[in-house]
Amino acid sequence: MRVFRAPGRVNLIGEHTDYNQGLVLPAALDLDCRVTAKPSRWPVLTARSVNLGLERTWPLTSFERHGEWSDYVAGVAVELAKLGVRLPAAELEIRSTVPLGAGLSSSAALEVAVAFALCGLAGATLPPVELALACQRAENDFVGMKCGIMDQFVAVLGRKDHALRIDCRSLDKRPVPLPEECSLVMVNTMVRHELAKSEYNRRRQECEQAAAQLDRSLRDTTLAEAEALPQPLRRRARHVIGENARVEQFISAELDEKGELMYASHASLRGDYEVSCPELDFLVETARGIEGVVGARMTGGGFGGCAVNLVRSAAVPEFSRRIAIAYRQQFALEPQIYACHTADGAGELGN
Ligand code: ADP
Ligand code: MG
């Protein structure tokens, strides 16, 4: 029996830029997906999700799509097989502490942990970036979620005590130390509006349209050039261009300015990119008024999920108490709060 893990992540800044060849700054978290793998006596792959209490089995030669959680597992198996990995007959037990569908990337944690497990049992080693790309293709092509490379990349290559500046065009990465005096606190809205997946794919299309009309990547477009676009493409491009700049600024900024850049990122995601929601806006506005909060913004695709807060460590307990009270009063929902540490990227436990 072997155990493999892959972390969830929080993106500090650089949202909806990865699929525009842009810049992102995620950190791997100490919330993770663990896959306990053992060989099977039959030529099948079985996956059991302890979180969902569900199980699926596939013959090793054909992976059916079911339109549900197991597609993430089957998609990874299919992509690894395409790369020449001889799929092992195995039973995988999946247990995740990353909240599902909350913008902390439980999906990439699942994909990457499964990929490590299958490669581990098969005795195959893939270059880390190849493995991340295979997991992204699994989500793009098998699950049908047209996500960028950020989540899978940081789940594989994240580094404890650091965020990772990823250039999603060159796939260059650079670890960036996190501010020592601060903690990352994620507050979960506990909602996920229906629009999340369809609007994500629509934003991606809109950005592709904008790039096609300008005849260049949004990475290389200036704000002045984006003015030529019709709405809503102009607003979408304006977000992406501004957000790439904010990633660079955030890395070199003093602490207070980092916070302002997070608020500016949120305002842009709400106004120009239109992927926020009342619950996220409320969390960010409320956080802004609480002592010790440096900055806050929505994180992940939007339409629900989590807000990320950069909070002075001494202020975390009082922050958590106050934001929970305010949110409960406003929405009659109990927000889950994760005061996280960062972690390294995926690997086998005990190694
Ligand atoms: P996020 O990645 O932000 O958590 P996604 O919608 O991208 O949100 O992925 C969430 C989906 O991933 C879940 O609805 C489920 O289908 C799948 N998933 C993630 N973790 C698990 C798990 N431990 N067990 C089963 N399915 C999981
Ligand atoms: Mg996801």
Side-chain angles (χ1 to χ4, degrees), residues 252-298:
S252 50
E254 297 295 324
L255 191 58
D256 286 346
E257 195 194 334
K258 283 190 196 319
E260 288 310 315
L261 288 161
M262 291 173 79
Y263 293 123
S265 166
H266 185 82
S268 174
L269 287 157
R270 183 186 59 210
D272 278 344
Y273 218 65
E274 298 179 276
V275 292
S276 188
C277 62
E279 293 86 352
L280 286 167
D281 295 342
F282 178 85
L283 283 179
V284 172
E285 266 320 298
T286 306
R288 194 166 199 160
I290 297 178
E291 173 117 16
V293 176
V294 174
R297 55 182 288 279
M298 56 160 273

Side-chain angles (χ1 to χ4, degrees), residues 105 107 139 151:
S105 200
S107 59
E139 187 154 344
D151 298 354

